[in-house]
Amino acid sequence: MTEPLFRDAPYERENEARIQRVDERGILLDRSVFYPRGGGQAGDAGRLELAGARSIEIADTVKGEGGDILHVPAPGQALPAVGEPVVARIDWDRRHRHMRFHTATHLLCAIVPHPTNGCSITSGYARLDFDMVEPLDKAHLEAELARLVAEAHEIRTVWITDEELDAKPELVRTMSVAPPRGVGRVRLLEIDGVDLQACGGTHVANTREIGAIKVVKIEKKSARSRRVVLEFSA
Ligand SMILES: [Zn+2]
């Protein structure tokens, strides 16, 4: 399996690693700062830098079996050999947008008191689907998001046991990146005074860092589903 460095250090942009396997699905590293697509959050893009000023552009990152992280090269590149040392460097601008949007979806969850049933976080927008019949007010959502961003709430991760999580099922929301189970502990994301839920994604350290957000669309997806789409204002 790949040691997932983004989990404890979401602000790390690069790491040294060694190539474990190369096949048509992607390049397996022993450790990586690259976040693999999951729980609605897009996979990271970036570059693997090799000896001799060679490099490989990585277009996407996905999960393999058993905790493997597969770095998917953009097409048409010469692939590296197993055992080669690399520096894995993420496209930070893109990742930081994922982190800001992902954190904003947690705020939206705190504002809208209904379960979610779909989520997509990209560098251009975030989309969250709520299981609800009531209408949503765009101006109200934008004002509440702006308030929570301006209030500069600290964000931290907390670990609890599987048993503690089982006793509090409300901590699992379907929007969240499915927390890894069976290792005895589960990762929670806490936005101080605002939201607490199990999540394995990447987030910013303070809500202030999200910046100005606008609600670009509220859509009635079905009788029981309301979709909210967010973009950055600037
Ligand atoms: Zn999250």
Coordinates of all heavy atoms in Angstrom, one line a residue, residues 1-4 7 20 28-31 65-69:
M1 N 0.8 -1.2 0.0 CA 0.0 0.0 0.0 C 0.9 1.3 0.0 O 2.0 1.2 0.4 CB -0.9 0.0 1.2 CG -0.3 0.3 2.5 SD -1.5 0.6 3.9 CE -1.9 2.3 3.7
T2 N 0.3 2.4 -0.4 CA 1.0 3.6 -0.4 C 0.7 4.4 0.9 O -0.4 4.5 1.3 CB 0.5 4.5 -1.6 OG1 0.5 3.7 -2.8 CG2 1.3 5.7 -1.8
E3 N 1.8 4.9 1.5 CA 1.6 5.7 2.7 C 0.9 7.0 2.3 O 1.5 7.8 1.5 CB 2.9 6.0 3.4 CG 2.8 6.7 4.7 CD 4.2 7.1 5.2 OE1 5.2 6.6 4.7 OE2 4.2 7.9 6.1
P4 N -0.3 7.3 2.8 CA -1.0 8.5 2.3 C -0.6 9.8 3.0 O -1.1 10.1 4.1 CB -2.5 8.2 2.6 CG -2.4 7.2 3.8 CD -1.0 6.6 3.8
R7 N -2.9 12.9 4.2 CA -3.9 12.7 5.3 C -3.5 13.5 6.5 O -4.3 14.3 7.1 CB -4.1 11.2 5.6 CG -5.2 11.0 6.5 CD -5.7 9.6 6.4 NE -6.5 9.4 5.1 CZ -6.7 8.2 4.5 NH1 -6.2 7.1 5.0 NH2 -7.4 8.2 3.4
Q20 N 7.1 1.6 -7.2 CA 6.9 0.2 -6.8 C 6.4 -0.7 -8.0 O 6.6 -1.9 -8.0 CB 5.8 0.1 -5.7 CG 6.1 1.0 -4.5 CD 7.3 0.5 -3.7 OE1 7.3 -0.7 -3.3 NE2 8.3 1.3 -3.6
L28 N 2.6 3.2 -9.3 CA 2.4 3.0 -7.8 C 3.7 3.5 -7.1 O 4.8 3.1 -7.4 CB 2.1 1.5 -7.5 CG 2.1 1.1 -6.1 CD1 0.8 1.7 -5.4 CD2 2.1 -0.4 -5.9
L29 N 3.5 4.4 -6.1 CA 4.6 4.8 -5.3 C 4.5 4.3 -3.9 O 3.4 3.9 -3.4 CB 4.6 6.4 -5.2 CG 4.7 7.1 -6.5 CD1 4.7 8.6 -6.3 CD2 6.0 6.7 -7.3
D30 N 5.6 4.2 -3.1 CA 5.5 3.7 -1.7 C 4.9 4.7 -0.8 O 4.4 4.4 0.3 CB 6.9 3.3 -1.3 CG 7.9 4.3 -1.3 OD1 7.7 5.4 -2.0 OD2 9.0 4.2 -0.8
R31 N 5.0 6.0 -1.2 CA 4.4 7.1 -0.3 C 4.1 8.3 -1.3 O 4.7 8.5 -2.3 CB 5.3 7.5 0.8 CG 6.7 7.8 0.3 CD 7.8 7.6 1.4 NE 7.6 8.4 2.6 CZ 8.1 9.7 2.7 NH1 8.8 10.2 1.7 NH2 7.9 10.4 3.7
E65 N -6.0 -1.3 -5.3 CA -6.4 -2.3 -4.3 C -5.6 -2.0 -3.0 O -4.4 -1.7 -3.0 CB -6.2 -3.7 -4.7 CG -7.0 -4.2 -5.9 CD -6.4 -3.9 -7.2 OE1 -5.2 -4.0 -7.3 OE2 -7.1 -3.4 -8.2
G66 N -6.2 -2.3 -1.9 CA -5.5 -2.4 -0.6 C -4.7 -1.2 -0.2 O -3.6 -1.3 0.3
G67 N -5.3 0.0 -0.5 CA -4.6 1.2 -0.1 C -3.5 1.7 -1.0 O -2.8 2.6 -0.7
D68 N -3.5 1.1 -2.2 CA -2.5 1.6 -3.2 C -3.0 2.9 -3.8 O -4.2 3.1 -4.0 CB -2.5 0.6 -4.4 CG -1.6 -0.6 -4.1 OD1 -1.0 -0.7 -3.0 OD2 -1.6 -1.5 -4.9
I69 N -2.1 3.8 -4.1 CA -2.4 5.1 -4.8 C -1.7 5.0 -6.1 O -0.5 4.9 -6.2 CB -2.0 6.3 -3.9 CG1 -2.7 6.4 -2.6 CG2 -2.1 7.6 -4.7 CD1 -2.3 7.4 -1.6

